[in-house]
Coordinates of all heavy atoms in Angstrom, one line a residue:
M121 N -80.3 -50.6 88.4 CA -79.5 -49.4 88.6 C -78.5 -49.6 89.7 O -78.9 -50.2 90.7 CB -80.4 -48.2 88.8 CG -81.5 -48.0 87.7 SD -80.8 -47.6 86.2 CE -80.4 -45.9 86.5
I122 N -77.4 -49.1 89.6 CA -76.4 -49.2 90.6 C -75.8 -47.9 90.9 O -75.7 -47.0 90.0 CB -75.3 -50.3 90.2 CG1 -74.3 -50.5 91.3 CG2 -74.5 -49.8 89.0 CD1 -73.3 -51.6 91.1
S123 N -75.4 -47.6 92.1 CA -74.8 -46.4 92.5 C -73.3 -46.5 92.4 O -72.7 -47.6 92.3 CB -75.2 -46.0 93.9 OG -74.5 -46.9 94.8
I124 N -72.6 -45.3 92.3 CA -71.1 -45.3 92.2 C -70.5 -46.0 93.5 O -69.6 -46.7 93.4 CB -70.6 -43.9 92.0 CG1 -71.1 -43.4 90.6 CG2 -69.1 -43.8 92.2 CD1 -70.8 -42.0 90.4
E125 N -71.2 -45.7 94.6 CA -70.6 -46.2 95.9 C -70.7 -47.8 95.9 O -69.8 -48.4 96.4 CB -71.4 -45.7 97.1 CG -71.2 -44.1 97.3 CD -71.9 -43.3 96.4 OE1 -73.0 -43.7 95.8 OE2 -71.5 -42.2 96.1
A126 N -71.8 -48.3 95.4 CA -71.9 -49.8 95.3 C -71.0 -50.4 94.3 O -70.4 -51.4 94.6 CB -73.4 -50.2 95.0
A127 N -70.8 -49.7 93.2 CA -69.9 -50.2 92.1 C -68.4 -50.1 92.7 O -67.6 -51.0 92.4 CB -70.0 -49.4 90.9
E128 N -68.1 -49.1 93.5 CA -66.8 -49.0 94.0 C -66.4 -50.3 94.9 O -65.3 -50.6 95.0 CB -66.6 -47.8 94.9 CG -65.3 -47.3 95.2 CD -65.2 -45.9 95.8 OE1 -66.2 -45.4 96.2 OE2 -64.1 -45.4 95.7
Q129 N -67.4 -50.8 95.5 CA -67.2 -52.0 96.3 C -67.0 -53.3 95.5 O -66.4 -54.3 95.9 CB -68.4 -52.3 97.3 CG -68.7 -51.2 98.2 CD -67.6 -50.9 99.1 OE1 -67.0 -51.8 99.8 NE2 -67.2 -49.6 99.2
L130 N -67.4 -53.3 94.2 CA -67.4 -54.4 93.3 C -66.2 -54.4 92.3 O -65.7 -55.4 91.9 CB -68.7 -54.6 92.6 CG -69.9 -54.7 93.4 CD1 -71.2 -54.6 92.6 CD2 -69.9 -56.1 94.2
V131 N -65.8 -53.1 91.9 CA -64.9 -53.0 90.8 C -63.7 -52.2 91.4 O -64.0 -51.1 91.9 CB -65.5 -52.3 89.6 CG1 -64.5 -52.1 88.5 CG2 -66.6 -53.1 89.1
D132 N -62.5 -52.6 91.2 CA -61.3 -51.9 91.8 C -60.7 -51.1 90.7 O -59.9 -51.6 89.9 CB -60.4 -52.9 92.3 CG -59.2 -52.3 93.0 OD1 -59.1 -51.0 93.1 OD2 -58.3 -53.0 93.5
F133 N -61.0 -49.8 90.6 CA -60.3 -48.9 89.7 C -59.2 -48.1 90.3 O -58.5 -47.3 89.8 CB -61.3 -47.9 89.1 CG -62.0 -48.5 87.9 CD1 -63.4 -48.6 88.1 CD2 -61.4 -48.7 86.7 CE1 -64.1 -49.1 86.9 CE2 -62.1 -49.2 85.7 CZ -63.5 -49.4 85.8
G134 N -59.0 -48.4 91.7 CA -58.0 -47.7 92.4 C -57.0 -48.7 93.1 O -57.1 -49.8 92.9
A135 N -56.2 -48.1 93.9 CA -55.2 -48.9 94.7 C -55.9 -49.4 95.9 O -56.4 -48.7 96.7 CB -54.0 -48.1 95.0
G136 N -55.9 -50.8 96.0 CA -56.4 -51.4 97.1 C -57.9 -51.2 97.3 O -58.5 -51.2 98.5
G137 N -58.7 -51.0 96.2 CA -60.2 -50.9 96.3 C -60.6 -49.5 96.5 O -61.8 -49.2 96.6
R138 N -59.8 -48.5 96.7 CA -60.1 -47.1 96.8 C -59.7 -46.4 95.6 O -58.7 -46.5 95.0 CB -59.4 -46.5 98.0 CG -59.7 -47.1 99.3 CD -59.0 -46.4 100.4 NE -57.8 -45.7 99.8 CZ -56.7 -45.7 100.3 NH1 -56.3 -46.3 101.3 NH2 -55.6 -45.1 99.6
V139 N -60.7 -45.6 95.1 CA -60.4 -44.7 93.9 C -59.6 -43.5 94.4 O -60.1 -42.7 95.2 CB -61.8 -44.2 93.3 CG1 -61.5 -43.3 92.2 CG2 -62.6 -45.5 92.8
T140 N -58.4 -43.4 93.9 CA -57.5 -42.4 94.5 C -57.1 -41.3 93.5 O -56.5 -40.3 93.9 CB -56.2 -43.1 95.0 OG1 -55.6 -43.8 93.9 CG2 -56.5 -44.0 96.1
T141 N -57.5 -41.5 92.2 CA -57.2 -40.5 91.3 C -58.4 -40.0 90.5 O -59.4 -40.7 90.5 CB -56.1 -40.9 90.2 OG1 -56.7 -41.9 89.4 CG2 -54.9 -41.4 90.9
K142 N -58.3 -38.8 89.9 CA -59.5 -38.3 89.1 C -59.8 -39.2 87.9 O -60.9 -39.5 87.6 CB -59.2 -36.9 88.7 CG -60.4 -36.3 87.8 CD -60.4 -34.9 87.6 CE -61.5 -34.3 86.8 NZ -62.5 -35.1 86.4
V143 N -58.7 -39.7 87.3 CA -58.9 -40.6 86.1 C -59.6 -41.9 86.6 O -60.6 -42.3 85.9 CB -57.5 -40.9 85.5 CG1 -57.7 -42.0 84.4 CG2 -56.9 -39.7 84.9
A144 N -59.2 -42.5 87.7 CA -59.8 -43.6 88.2 C -61.3 -43.4 88.5 O -62.2 -44.2 88.2 CB -59.1 -44.3 89.4
R145 N -61.6 -42.3 89.1 CA -63.0 -41.9 89.5 C -63.8 -41.7 88.2 O -64.9 -42.1 88.2 CB -63.0 -40.5 90.3 CG -64.3 -40.1 90.8 CD -64.8 -41.1 91.8 NE -66.1 -40.7 92.3 CZ -66.7 -41.3 93.3 NH1 -66.2 -42.3 93.9 NH2 -67.9 -40.8 93.7
D146 N -63.3 -41.0 87.2 CA -64.0 -40.8 85.9 C -64.3 -42.2 85.3 O -65.3 -42.4 84.7 CB -63.1 -39.9 85.0 CG -63.1 -38.5 85.4 OD1 -63.9 -38.1 86.3 OD2 -62.2 -37.8 84.9
Q147 N -63.3 -43.1 85.3 CA -63.5 -44.4 84.8 C -64.6 -45.2 85.5 O -65.5 -45.8 84.9 CB -62.2 -45.2 84.7 CG -61.2 -44.7 83.8 CD -59.8 -45.3 84.0 OE1 -59.5 -45.9 85.0 NE2 -58.9 -45.1 83.0
L148 N -64.6 -45.1 86.8 CA -65.7 -45.8 87.6 C -67.0 -45.1 87.3 O -68.0 -45.9 87.0 CB -65.3 -45.6 89.1 CG -66.4 -46.2 90.0 CD1 -66.5 -47.7 89.8 CD2 -66.0 -45.9 91.4
E149 N -67.1 -43.8 87.2 CA -68.4 -43.2 86.9 C -68.8 -43.5 85.5 O -70.0 -43.8 85.2 CB -68.2 -41.7 87.0 CG -68.1 -41.2 88.4 CD -67.7 -39.7 88.6 OE1 -67.6 -39.0 87.5 OE2 -67.6 -39.2 89.7
G150 N -67.9 -43.7 84.5 CA -68.3 -44.1 83.2 C -68.7 -45.5 83.2 O -69.8 -45.8 82.5
A151 N -68.2 -46.4 83.9 CA -68.6 -47.8 84.0 C -70.0 -47.9 84.5 O -70.8 -48.6 84.1 CB -67.6 -48.6 84.7
V152 N -70.2 -47.1 85.6 CA -71.6 -47.1 86.2 C -72.6 -46.5 85.3 O -73.7 -47.1 85.1 CB -71.5 -46.3 87.6 CG1 -72.9 -46.1 88.1 CG2 -70.7 -47.1 88.6
A153 N -72.3 -45.4 84.6 CA -73.2 -44.8 83.7 C -73.6 -45.7 82.6 O -74.8 -45.9 82.3 CB -72.6 -43.5 83.2
L154 N -72.6 -46.4 82.0 CA -72.9 -47.3 80.9 C -73.6 -48.5 81.4 O -74.5 -49.1 80.7 CB -71.6 -47.7 80.2 CG -71.7 -48.5 78.9 CD1 -72.7 -47.9 77.9 CD2 -70.4 -48.7 78.3
H155 N -73.2 -49.1 82.5 CA -74.0 -50.2 83.1 C -75.5 -49.8 83.2 O -76.4 -50.6 82.9 CB -73.4 -50.6 84.5 CG -74.2 -51.6 85.2 ND1 -75.2 -51.3 86.0 CD2 -74.2 -53.0 85.1 CE1 -75.8 -52.4 86.5 NE2 -75.1 -53.4 85.9
N156 N -75.7 -48.6 83.8 CA -77.2 -48.2 84.0 C -77.9 -48.0 82.7 O -79.0 -48.3 82.6 CB -77.2 -46.9 84.9 CG -76.8 -47.3 86.3 OD1 -76.8 -48.4 86.8 ND2 -76.3 -46.3 87.1
I157 N -77.2 -47.5 81.7 CA -77.8 -47.3 80.3 C -78.1 -48.7 79.8 O -79.3 -48.9 79.3 CB -76.8 -46.6 79.4 CG1 -76.8 -45.1 79.8 CG2 -77.3 -46.7 77.9 CD1 -75.7 -44.3 79.1
L158 N -77.2 -49.6 79.9 CA -77.5 -51.0 79.4 C -78.7 -51.6 80.2 O -79.5 -52.3 79.6 CB -76.3 -51.8 79.6 CG -75.2 -51.5 78.6 CD1 -73.8 -52.3 79.0 CD2 -75.5 -51.8 77.2
Q159 N -78.8 -51.4 81.4 CA -79.9 -51.9 82.2 C -81.3 -51.4 81.8 O -82.3 -52.0 81.7 CB -79.7 -51.6 83.7 CG -78.7 -52.5 84.3 CD -78.9 -53.9 84.2 OE1 -80.0 -54.5 84.5 NE2 -77.8 -54.6 83.8
R160 N -81.3 -50.1 81.3 CA -82.5 -49.4 80.9 C -82.8 -49.7 79.5 O -84.0 -50.0 79.1 CB -82.3 -47.9 81.0 CG -82.7 -47.4 82.5 CD -82.8 -45.9 82.5 NE -81.7 -45.2 81.9 CZ -80.7 -44.7 82.5 NH1 -80.5 -44.9 83.8 NH2 -79.7 -44.1 81.9
H161 N -81.8 -49.7 78.6 CA -82.1 -49.7 77.1 C -81.6 -51.0 76.4 O -81.9 -51.1 75.3 CB -81.5 -48.5 76.5 CG -81.9 -47.2 77.0 ND1 -83.2 -46.7 76.8 CD2 -81.3 -46.3 77.8 CE1 -83.3 -45.5 77.4 NE2 -82.2 -45.2 78.0
R162 N -80.8 -51.8 77.2 CA -80.3 -53.0 76.6 C -79.3 -52.9 75.5 O -78.8 -53.8 74.9 CB -81.4 -54.0 76.1 CG -82.5 -54.2 77.1 CD -82.1 -55.0 78.3 NE -81.6 -56.3 78.0 CZ -80.9 -57.1 78.9 NH1 -80.6 -56.6 80.0 NH2 -80.5 -58.2 78.5
V163 N -78.9 -51.6 75.3 CA -77.8 -51.4 74.2 C -77.1 -50.1 74.6 O -77.7 -49.2 75.2 CB -78.4 -51.3 72.8 CG1 -79.3 -50.1 72.6 CG2 -77.3 -51.2 71.8
G164 N -75.8 -50.0 74.3 CA -75.1 -48.8 74.6 C -73.8 -48.8 73.9 O -73.5 -49.8 73.3
Y165 N -73.1 -47.6 73.9 CA -71.8 -47.6 73.3 C -70.9 -46.7 74.1 O -71.3 -45.9 74.9 CB -71.9 -47.1 71.9 CG -72.3 -45.7 71.7 CD1 -71.2 -44.7 71.6 CD2 -73.6 -45.2 71.6 CE1 -71.6 -43.3 71.5 CE2 -74.0 -43.9 71.5 CZ -72.9 -43.0 71.4 OH -73.3 -41.7 71.3
L166 N -69.6 -47.0 74.0 CA -68.6 -46.3 74.7 C -67.6 -45.7 73.7 O -67.0 -46.3 72.9 CB -67.8 -47.3 75.6 CG -66.6 -46.8 76.4 CD1 -67.0 -45.6 77.3 CD2 -65.9 -47.9 77.1
A167 N -67.5 -44.4 73.8 CA -66.6 -43.6 72.9 C -66.0 -42.4 73.7 O -66.7 -41.8 74.4 CB -67.4 -43.1 71.7
D168 N -64.8 -42.3 73.5 CA -64.1 -41.2 74.3 C -62.8 -40.9 73.5 O -62.4 -41.6 72.6 CB -63.8 -41.6 75.7 CG -63.8 -40.3 76.6 OD1 -63.6 -39.2 76.2 OD2 -64.1 -40.5 77.9
E169 N -62.0 -39.9 74.0 CA -60.8 -39.5 73.4 C -59.7 -40.6 73.7 O -59.8 -41.4 74.7 CB -60.3 -38.2 74.0 CG -61.2 -37.0 73.6 CD -60.8 -35.7 74.1 OE1 -59.5 -35.5 74.4 OE2 -61.7 -34.9 74.5
V170 N -58.6 -40.5 72.9 CA -57.5 -41.5 73.2 C -56.9 -41.2 74.6 O -56.8 -40.1 75.0 CB -56.4 -41.2 72.1 CG1 -55.2 -42.0 72.4 CG2 -56.9 -41.6 70.7
G171 N -56.7 -42.3 75.3 CA -56.0 -42.2 76.6 C -56.9 -42.0 77.8 O -56.4 -41.7 78.8
M172 N -58.2 -42.1 77.6 CA -59.1 -41.8 78.7 C -59.5 -43.1 79.4 O -60.2 -43.0 80.4 CB -60.4 -41.1 78.2 CG -60.2 -39.8 77.5 SD -59.3 -38.6 78.6 CE -60.6 -38.4 79.8
G173 N -59.1 -44.2 79.0 CA -59.3 -45.5 79.7 C -60.5 -46.3 79.3 O -61.2 -46.9 80.1
K174 N -60.9 -46.2 78.0 CA -62.1 -46.9 77.5 C -62.0 -48.4 77.8 O -63.0 -49.0 78.1 CB -62.2 -46.7 76.0 CG -62.6 -45.2 75.7 CD -62.6 -45.0 74.2 CE -61.4 -45.1 73.4 NZ -60.3 -44.2 73.8
T175 N -60.8 -49.0 77.7 CA -60.6 -50.4 77.9 C -60.9 -50.7 79.4 O -61.7 -51.7 79.6 CB -59.2 -50.8 77.6 OG1 -58.9 -50.5 76.2 CG2 -59.0 -52.3 77.8
Y176 N -60.5 -49.9 80.3 CA -60.8 -50.1 81.7 C -62.3 -50.0 82.0 O -62.9 -50.7 82.8 CB -60.0 -49.2 82.7 CG -58.5 -49.6 82.7 CD1 -57.6 -48.7 82.2 CD2 -58.1 -50.8 83.2 CE1 -56.3 -49.1 82.2 CE2 -56.8 -51.1 83.3 CZ -55.9 -50.3 82.8 OH -54.5 -50.6 82.8
V177 N -62.9 -48.9 81.4 CA -64.3 -48.7 81.6 C -65.1 -49.9 81.0 O -66.0 -50.4 81.7 CB -64.8 -47.4 80.9 CG1 -66.3 -47.3 80.9 CG2 -64.1 -46.2 81.5
A178 N -64.8 -50.3 79.9 CA -65.5 -51.5 79.3 C -65.3 -52.8 80.2 O -66.2 -53.5 80.4 CB -64.9 -51.8 77.9
L179 N -64.1 -53.0 80.7 CA -63.9 -54.2 81.6 C -64.7 -54.0 82.8 O -65.3 -55.0 83.4 CB -62.4 -54.3 81.9 CG -61.6 -54.8 80.7 CD1 -60.1 -54.7 81.1 CD2 -61.9 -56.2 80.3
G180 N -64.8 -52.7 83.3 CA -65.6 -52.5 84.5 C -67.1 -52.8 84.2 O -67.8 -53.4 85.1
V181 N -67.6 -52.4 83.1 CA -69.0 -52.6 82.8 C -69.2 -54.1 82.7 O -70.2 -54.6 83.2 CB -69.4 -52.0 81.4 CG1 -70.7 -52.4 81.0 CG2 -69.3 -50.4 81.5
V182 N -68.3 -54.9 82.0 CA -68.5 -56.3 81.9 C -68.5 -56.9 83.3 O -69.3 -57.8 83.6 CB -67.4 -56.9 81.0 CG1 -67.4 -58.4 81.0 CG2 -67.5 -56.4 79.6
A183 N -67.6 -56.5 84.2 CA -67.5 -57.0 85.5 C -68.9 -56.8 86.3 O -69.4 -57.7 87.0 CB -66.4 -56.4 86.3
L184 N -69.4 -55.6 86.1 CA -70.7 -55.3 86.7 C -71.8 -56.1 86.2 O -72.6 -56.7 86.9 CB -71.0 -53.8 86.6 CG -70.1 -52.8 87.4 CD1 -70.4 -51.4 87.1 CD2 -70.3 -53.1 88.9
L185 N -71.8 -56.2 84.9 CA -72.9 -57.1 84.3 C -72.8 -58.5 84.6 O -73.8 -59.1 85.0 CB -72.8 -57.0 82.7 CG -73.2 -55.6 82.1 CD1 -72.8 -55.7 80.6 CD2 -74.7 -55.4 82.3
R186 N -71.6 -59.0 84.8 CA -71.4 -60.5 85.1 C -71.6 -60.6 86.6 O -72.0 -61.8 87.0 CB -70.1 -60.9 84.7 CG -69.9 -60.8 83.2 CD -69.7 -62.1 82.4 NE -69.1 -63.2 83.1 CZ -69.5 -64.4 82.8 NH1 -70.4 -64.6 81.9 NH2 -69.0 -65.4 83.4
H187 N -71.4 -59.7 87.4 CA -71.7 -59.8 88.8 C -73.2 -60.0 89.1 O -73.6 -60.9 89.9 CB -71.2 -58.6 89.6 CG -71.6 -58.6 91.0 ND1 -70.9 -59.3 91.9 CD2 -72.6 -58.0 91.7 CE1 -71.5 -59.2 93.2 NE2 -72.5 -58.4 93.0
F188 N -74.0 -59.2 88.4 CA -75.4 -59.3 88.6 C -76.1 -60.3 87.8 O -77.2 -60.8 88.1 CB -76.1 -57.9 88.3 CG -75.7 -56.8 89.3 CD1 -74.8 -55.9 89.0 CD2 -76.2 -56.9 90.6 CE1 -74.4 -54.9 89.9 CE2 -75.8 -56.0 91.5 CZ -74.9 -54.9 91.2
D189 N -75.5 -60.7 86.7 CA -76.1 -61.8 85.8 C -74.9 -62.6 85.3 O -74.4 -62.3 84.2 CB -76.9 -61.2 84.7 CG -77.5 -62.3 83.8 OD1 -77.4 -63.5 84.2 OD2 -78.2 -62.0 82.8
P190 N -74.5 -63.7 86.0 CA -73.3 -64.5 85.5 C -73.5 -65.1 84.1 O -72.5 -65.4 83.5 CB -73.2 -65.6 86.6 CG -73.9 -65.0 87.8 CD -75.0 -64.2 87.3
R191 N -74.7 -65.1 83.6 CA -74.9 -65.7 82.3 C -75.0 -64.6 81.2 O -75.3 -64.8 80.1 CB -76.2 -66.5 82.3 CG -76.2 -67.7 83.2 CD -77.5 -68.5 83.1 NE -78.7 -67.6 83.3 CZ -79.8 -67.6 82.6 NH1 -79.9 -68.5 81.6 NH2 -80.8 -66.8 82.7
A192 N -74.7 -63.3 81.6 CA -74.8 -62.2 80.7 C -73.8 -62.4 79.5 O -72.7 -63.0 79.6 CB -74.4 -60.9 81.3
R193 N -74.2 -62.1 78.3 CA -73.4 -62.2 77.1 C -73.1 -60.8 76.7 O -74.0 -59.9 76.6 CB -74.2 -63.0 76.0 CG -74.4 -64.4 76.5 CD -75.2 -65.1 75.5 NE -74.8 -65.0 74.2 CZ -75.3 -65.6 73.1 NH1 -76.4 -66.2 73.2 NH2 -74.8 -65.4 71.9
V194 N -71.9 -60.5 76.2 CA -71.4 -59.2 75.9 C -70.7 -59.3 74.5 O -69.9 -60.2 74.2 CB -70.4 -58.6 76.9 CG1 -69.9 -57.3 76.5 CG2 -71.0 -58.6 78.3
L195 N -71.1 -58.4 73.6 CA -70.5 -58.3 72.3 C -69.7 -57.1 72.3 O -70.2 -55.9 72.5 CB -71.6 -58.3 71.2 CG -71.0 -58.0 69.7 CD1 -70.1 -59.1 69.3 CD2 -72.2 -57.8 68.8
I196 N -68.4 -57.2 72.0 CA -67.5 -56.0 71.9 C -67.0 -55.9 70.5 O -66.5 -56.8 69.9 CB -66.3 -56.2 72.9 CG1 -66.8 -56.3 74.3 CG2 -65.3 -55.0 72.7 CD1 -65.7 -56.6 75.3
L197 N -67.3 -54.7 69.9 CA -66.9 -54.5 68.5 C -65.7 -53.5 68.6 O -65.9 -52.4 69.2 CB -68.0 -53.8 67.7 CG -69.3 -54.7 67.5 CD1 -70.4 -54.0 66.8 CD2 -68.9 -56.0 66.7
A198 N -64.6 -53.8 68.0 CA -63.4 -52.9 68.0 C -62.8 -53.0 66.6 O -62.7 -54.1 66.0 CB -62.5 -53.4 69.1
P199 N -62.3 -51.9 66.1 CA -61.6 -51.9 64.8 C -60.3 -52.6 64.9 O -59.7 -52.7 66.0 CB -61.4 -50.4 64.6 CG -61.4 -49.7 65.9 CD -62.2 -50.6 66.7
R200 N -59.8 -53.1 63.8 CA -58.5 -53.6 63.7 C -57.5 -52.6 63.9 O -57.7 -51.4 63.8 CB -58.3 -54.2 62.3 CG -58.9 -55.4 61.9 CD -58.5 -55.8 60.6 NE -58.9 -57.2 60.3 CZ -58.8 -57.8 59.2 NH1 -58.2 -57.2 58.2 NH2 -59.2 -59.0 59.1
G201 N -56.3 -53.1 64.3 CA -55.2 -52.1 64.5 C -54.9 -51.4 63.1 O -55.1 -52.0 62.1
N202 N -54.5 -50.1 63.2 CA -54.2 -49.4 62.0 C -52.8 -49.8 61.4 O -51.9 -50.0 62.0 CB -54.2 -47.9 62.3 CG -55.6 -47.5 62.7 OD1 -56.6 -48.1 62.4 ND2 -55.7 -46.3 63.4

């Protein structure tokens, strides 16, 4: 399990390492939440409305996973473009 404060030191969702906007804070919280779910259950999914930063959250989760386990494997399923 990782805290938001610890993740903020590892993943830069803001300018210069500081989370400066609500959107960036929400993305960081989402990445931490999904990382912790994956640690507990070994499976998780990310779904949100258009424009909420799912790509950034997913990249943050992958960064956290790879930081703690450099051999971690990640499967990302995404639909084709419409």
Side-chain angles (χ1 to χ4, degrees):
M121 303 294 280
I122 186 171
S123 69
I124 292 172
E125 293 76 22
E128 195 169 19
Q129 301 299 313
L130 301 171
V131 180
D132 184 4
F133 277 114
R138 294 181 341 227
V139 176
T140 57
T141 66
K142 179 166 177 12
V143 172
R145 184 67 178 190
D146 290 344
Q147 291 168 345
L148 179 64
E149 289 174 0
V152 169
L154 187 52
H155 173 270
N156 290 339
I157 288 169
L158 289 169
Q159 291 300 312
R160 279 193 307 267
H161 303 290
R162 308 296 296 164
V163 66
Y165 68 92
L166 172 62
D168 209 338
E169 296 179 29
V170 172
M172 297 303 291
K174 293 178 293 294
T175 301
Y176 289 114
V177 171
L179 291 171
V181 171
V182 171
L184 291 171
L185 289 172
R186 300 243 334 144
H187 174 78
F188 292 109
D189 181 6
R191 298 180 311 135
R193 295 173 52 183
V194 177
L195 173 64
I196 299 173
L197 299 175
R200 283 185 173 176
N202 294 338

